[in-house]
Structures are given as C-alpha cells and as structure tokens.
Amino acid sequence: MRRATVFAAAFTLALTTAGVAEAAPAQHGHVQRVCSAAPAGYAACNAWIDTDHVTTAAAAATPSGLGPADLLSAYNLGSLAGSAGAGRTIAIVDANDDPTAFSDVNVYRAQYGIPALASCSPSSVDASTTPCFAKSDQNGGSSYPRKDGGWAQEISLDVDMASAICPKCNILLVEASSASMANLGTAVNTAVRLGAEVVSNSYGGSEYSGETTDEGKYFNHPGVAITVSSGDSGYGVEFPAASRYVTAVGGTSLKKASTTRGWSETAWSGAGSGCSAYVAKPSWQTDGGCSRRTVADVSAVADPATGVAVYDSTAYQGRSGWMVFGGTSVAAPVVGSVYALGGVSGVGGANTVYSHTSSLYDVSGGSNGSCGGTYLCTAVTGYDGPTGLGTPNGAGAF
C-alpha cells in the first residue's frame, strides 16, 4: 500500500497550535510514531518510540535498547570511534526547540562513559578541537523557535546517535522555526555556512513537483555529507530523501547472532523506498528498475523492536527519561556520523558508497510493502530499495 493511502486510512486530521492541519501520531501496539504525519509542504520527524521501555531516572543501571558499544560493534567502528572525527562537526537539523538538548546529551554520554561535550557558540563550533555542542536557530542566531516535545525527542535521538558513533565530533544543532520544507532547508544551508562537514536530517514529507528546485536551493553542497532518513511508512518515497544531493538512509532490524560478525540484519518493514516521481537519476546510481532517483542508498538500524537507548528530559505525552527509539530517524544520524569518522572526502550525494561496496554489509531478507516482488521493496543480494547497498562495515565507504 502506498504511503499516502496508509496515512489517509490510519490517521485523523487535527488542527495544531501552529495552525497547520496534521494527522494524529500512528500507534501500533506499544510502538508509536513520535511526530504527526505532515501536510503538503511540511515534514514529519521519522522517529518511533517503544512505549513499553521508559525509565524516568537520569542514571539507569542498564538502559533498555542498543547502546554505543552495540552500534560500534555491529558496524565495525570500534577502532575508529576512539580516534577519528576530532575537529569535525556534525550538524543536526530538526524543527522547533528542545530546551534541554545540551544537558540531555551529556546525561547520555555520562551513562556510557563518553566524555562530556563542552558548550561553544555556533560561530566557533567548527574551529573547536575539544568536542563541543552548539545550538542555533535556522539563521545562525539564538532566537530559538517554540518548544515541541515530539521534536525534542527527535533531537535527543539524533544528538545521542552522533555521540554514540563519533564521540570526538562537535555537534551543531540547528533548529528550524517550523517543520516547513522551506524552514528546514534554510536550516541546512545555515549548518553548512557555519562549517558542518556532515548534516543529518531525520524527517521527510510527501514528494511535490517543486522539489527539483528546492533540492538545488537547500541540499546541493558538494563536499558536505548530507544524510536523510528514507521514511517510516513502508514502500513509498519521501523528500528530501529523494534528492540526488543527499545520501538516502533506509532501515534494518538489527539483532545479535552467532556469526563471525556477531549481528544479523534484515530490511525493516517500515523503511521508505522506491522511485522518485520527479528527481532525475544521479550518475552514480545504476539500478535498472527505476528511471529516476531510487531510494535508499545505504541503511542502518531502524526497527523500534531492535531500537536504541536515548535520554530526553523534555516531557512529551507524559514520557521523559530513558526511552527506546526506532525509525529511519536513527539510521540517518548513525550513517552521518560514520561519514564523519571516514573523513567526508570527495562526497557528492551518495557517490562514494557506490564505489566502495566492499566496505558495506549486504542486507538480504525482509520487505517493506508491495511492489510486484521487485528489489524496490524487497531486500535482496546486492542493491535494493529498503536497505540500499547495505550497512556500514567500518567507514571505508564514507
């Protein structure tokens, strides 16, 4: 079933305090979407929460969900995380304000023995040699937007994943004034202007005819790795994941296994994939079943049933503290942080991963919908839509 059909059947529209019609968050048993579905011209965050795993204490003996050691092991990054990434800046672009983002990420880091981030200004973050955290509005200033508990959970998820994968990196949080594509795109441009080598975007919305103009206006930044989550509603394409100037990141279910790697992965049923309706195929993408841009390029853990531990103290729907999250919102900052570990050399869209497939774990098995049984919605050996070329095996492809 196509994403638009799923949304129409499953969600009831409500008027938000911002005056924008949105759908109520989807609920599937104990797993709930964090952000409401977005109307045309807007984006929704792509995070899902497992509501059965919430611990309010700041210090948890063992938080539920995958921690940094798990992720570094699963993606063969342990030898890099202790030494690489110093002096590089990962920007996290999201909508609305998370007033506790800085204190919360340091709670996360303390829990897992990662040195705390210092505070720095947006104008100096990229020059810092000591890992630091800076926060900016979409124009580079300090006129932060209104607080939003759902987006605050998304922000905490994103900055925690950056900390888990690249603990020596600087983190720049750029908060868009709203979840409109124009404001989020402006925030991306600001992140690049402030010196970010990597920009992670864990949101998306329906494709639209003007996206071919907007991708050039907001996402065409040669030499900067821009990662975008592929979506959480199964088979179907979102923008900006459809842009040829970004790395579209799909999702997997990640489980421990009695193998040499120690982990196994299959496609997550919620990961977005398919053929763009508007964006031309980039030269580095060669699959034959789609004449336009194909989503995704690579992938990482996204299944909330095999989700990650996150700390967020800004209460939303009565929940705060340690929580377990999934969604391709997890995968985008994970892959973005791997780019930071790898050095972000020669990046233009997702070109480097297509020329370094030996540095990826191929993922086969699992599906995210109905597309006539083709690779566009079914994980197969080699390239496929839900998982792209695979998941990181070290940082050689990035």
Side-chain angles (χ1 to χ4, degrees):
M1 187 180 290
R2 299 292 294 187
R3 184 188 331 106
T5 306
V6 174
F7 282 173
F11 304 150
T12 301
L13 290 181
L15 193 66
T16 69
T17 57
V20 176
E22 290 187 346
Q27 178 96 32
H28 299 290
H30 61 92
V31 176
Q32 178 179 316
R33 184 162 187 162
V34 171
C35 291
S36 303
Y42 285 73
C45 72
N46 282 319
W48 288 72
I49 183 172
D50 183 339
T51 58
D52 279 355
H53 295 93
V54 179
T55 303
T56 57
T62 306
S64 298
L66 300 175
D70 297 313
L71 297 171
L72 296 175
S73 169
Y75 297 124
N76 191 25
L77 299 167
S79 62
L80 290 172
S83 58
R88 297 195 183 107
T89 298
I90 300 171
I92 302 298
V93 170
D94 283 309
N96 302 312
D97 182 38
D98 179 358
T100 61
F102 178 49
S103 58
D104 287 350
V105 70
N106 277 335
V107 170
Y108 178 88
R109 292 169 77 100
Q111 176 70 40
Y112 293 107
I114 303 171
L117 290 165
S119 177
C120 55
S121 69
S123 61
S124 65
V125 61
D126 197 48
S128 178
T129 56
T130 300
C132 71
F133 175 93
K135 176 175 162 179
S136 164
D137 64 28
Q138 70 180 42
N139 298 310
S142 57
S143 298
Y144 306 126
R146 66 182 179 88
K147 182 179 76 172
D148 183 286
W151 279 95
Q153 289 185 349
E154 174 64 67
I155 289 169
S156 288
L157 164 58
D158 293 344
V159 296
D160 285 358
M161 292 306 97
S163 291
I165 302 298
C166 191
K168 291 186 177 296
C169 283
N170 305 316
I171 297 177
L172 169 64
L173 171 61
V174 185
E175 297 180 331
S177 297
S178 76
S180 73
M181 286 295 182
N183 284 333
L184 287 162
T186 297
V188 171
N189 286 342
T190 294
V192 175
R193 175 171 58 82
L194 292 171
E197 289 93 346
V198 175
V199 183
S200 176
N201 305 269
S202 291
Y203 56 82
S206 300
E207 285 201 276
Y208 55 98
S209 60
E211 72 190 38
T212 54
T213 298
D214 286 350
E215 67 161 349
K217 186 187 302 183
Y218 302 125
F219 299 98
N220 184 13
H221 296 287
V224 178
I226 300 177
T227 59
V228 180
S229 56
S230 71
D232 291 349
S233 300
Y235 179 60
V237 176
E238 290 188 349
F239 183 82
S243 172
R244 78 198 94 173
Y245 301 121
V246 311
T247 299
V249 187
T252 68
S253 298
L254 175 68
K255 299 177 181 179
K256 291 186 177 180
S258 299
T259 61
T260 300
R261 178 187 173 190
W263 300 84
S264 65
E265 286 181 283
T266 54
W268 175 48
S269 61
S273 72
C275 287
S276 171
Y278 303 104
V279 179
K281 200 170 200 67
S283 60
W284 34 262
Q285 194 172 56
T286 59
D287 61 298
C290 175
S291 61
R292 295 189 180 93
R293 170 73 159 114
T294 314
V295 174
D297 298 308
V298 290
S299 53
V301 60
D303 186 349
T306 65
V308 297
V310 171
Y311 183 79
D312 177 67
S313 66
T314 296
Y316 179 59
Q317 298 183 335
R319 290 184 286 270
S320 64
W322 286 99
M323 293 168 275
V324 175
F325 287 91
T328 51
S329 279
V330 178
V334 165
V335 169
S337 301
V338 179
Y339 268 114
L341 292 177
V344 200
S345 177
V347 172
N351 62 324
T352 65
V353 297
Y354 284 82
S355 58
H356 294 89
T357 56
S358 62
S359 293
L360 298 167
Y361 291 117
D362 189 23
V363 179
S364 61
S367 174
N368 66 353
S370 177
C371 62
T374 74
Y375 73 95
L376 293 174
C377 68
T378 303
V380 297
T381 300
Y383 178 83
D384 57 73
T387 70
L389 294 164
T391 60
N393 178 6
F398 302 90

